[in-house]
Amino acid sequence: MENTGLDNDWGLLLQFFPPGWEEQAKKLGALTRQRKFKSVSDLARLLLMHLADGCSMREAVVRAKQGGLVAISDVALLKRLRLSSDWFRWMASELLKRRGIDLQPPLWATGYNIKSIDASVISEPGSTGTDWRLHYCMKLFGLQCDQFIITRPGVGESYLNFKVDKGDLLIGDRAYGRFKGMQYVLDGGGDFLTRFKSKAFTLFDQNDNEVNLIHELEGLTIGEIKNIHLKATVKKIPKPLKLRLCAIRKSDKEAEDSIKKVLREQRKKQRKIYPDTVELHRYVILLTSLPEEISPENVMELYRLRWQIEIAFKRLKSILGLGHLPKIDKESSRAWLHGKFFVAVLAQSIVDEGRFFSPWGYPTQNYRT
């Protein structure tokens, strides 16, 4: 069979891989002995059949054999996946650096273990109700998978799903802005930084007066950051949760886009629309337990960095729905997740190239370096 077109496409895709990726495969143990693989490229191609195309390992090795790539068993492929965990993580980190995202923690944060929390429902191909929810925790600086658990979709997103150690700083989106989860992080000796979730609790100021956030934030100008010390309470839990609220006003365009999105979602799900909740979408509102010496500017900047990587996380969440998650072998699952993250960042790199397009349609070596 003539595969010239497919080979050309593969060669084009390799242009987006980070410089030194082949050498790192050997250095990090992904391909210490080639055996049946003629090259590192063949190993990457087979692994991406599994990770990016949504093939099971058995299907991937059958395709590889039929295409004349390599003849190995699905068990051998699983072993190769395990060995490729650090390699995938290195490649994802390098691609993020190329996008201008610094993976070194700021000086003020060196005493914290900064971790980004997220989750995604994984639908196996041909799913008939046997979907899973993958809850994962990744070190923000270094992109190393720190923790993950696999549950049924009914288990919601919460800090409660993760082990918290002293010095941890957990960063989550709006889904993690619940009272019990944030209190759980503090009880474990950690700190949290999360988006504000409206209606999740009641906020009071230091004089025990209920806070009207719209009134507090309506005077903010573009670029100005509001920093307020508050207390959060919920029914049946007498002890309030002390926290800081940091908020910044969005640009008019970002605000209108955000409001349109939330209105569309609420109507689609036939939920009641609260005008004050809609109005709060004109701001980025963060809740944190970080001490006062961490400035509100640093708090916002840390979340901004997380948001930069969130672009890849969002692509990752869509890509996670493609493929067969190893549900028993912990190391294989971690390598699978690192591989998926690499695929997500690789896809984003291709999208970026499309935006900053060159006449020949792919980056040159000078661009890559």
Side-chain angles (χ1 to χ4, degrees), residues 259-273:
I259 289 172
K260 287 177 183 177
K261 181 180 177 181
V262 71
L263 289 175
R264 185 166 58 248
E265 289 177 352
Q266 296 297 84
R267 291 186 184 115
K268 182 178 178 180
K269 296 177 181 179
Q270 297 184 330
R271 291 177 177 172
K272 184 176 179 180
I273 297 173

Side-chain angles (χ1 to χ4, degrees), residues 47 130 178 197 263 268 288 339 342:
L47 287 171
T130 57
R178 297 182 184 276
K197 184 175 178 62
L263 289 175
K268 182 178 178 180
T288 186
F342 167 65

Side-chain angles (χ1 to χ4, degrees), residues 124-230:
E124 299 284 7
S127 172
T128 56
T130 57
D131 296 344
W132 306 89
R133 188 186 292 272
L134 174 64
H135 308 262
Y136 53 96
C137 169
M138 300 190 77
K139 293 182 179 179
L140 188 62
F141 299 99
L143 301 180
Q144 184 175 2
C145 179
D146 182 68
Q147 300 178 57
F148 63 90
I149 62 168
I150 302 158
T151 67
R152 291 299 186 188
V155 177
E157 299 174 54
S158 173
Y159 289 131
L160 296 169
N161 296 322
F162 300 95
K163 181 178 180 294
V164 179
D165 295 317
K166 187 175 181 179
D168 283 351
L169 171 53
L170 304 187
I171 308 178
D173 60 21
R174 195 174 284 107
Y176 295 87
R178 297 182 184 276
F179 188 99
K180 288 185 179 179
M182 292 188 291
Q183 185 63 64
Y184 167 78
V185 174
L186 293 178
D187 291 342
D191 285 287
F192 59 82
L193 172 57
T194 187
R195 289 289 284 269
F196 172 70
K197 184 175 178 62
S198 182
K199 311 298 183 185
F201 37 71
T202 306
L203 293 172
F204 293 89
D205 63 20
Q206 299 302 298
N207 297 318
D208 294 325
N209 298 312
E210 187 171 346
V211 173
N212 185 316
L213 269 187
I214 293 178
H215 291 165
E216 287 285 344
L217 303 179
E218 61 185 357
L220 277 179
T221 59
I222 297 296
E224 182 184 359
I225 299 174
K226 187 87 171 184
N227 182 63
I228 319 172
H229 289 267
L230 300 171

Side-chain angles (χ1 to χ4, degrees), residues 20-35:
W21 65 276
E22 292 172 292
E23 294 83 355
Q24 287 295 324
K26 297 175 181 178
K27 183 178 179 180
L28 297 174
L31 194 66
T32 52
R33 292 181 296 171
Q34 291 188 208
R35 290 195 174 181

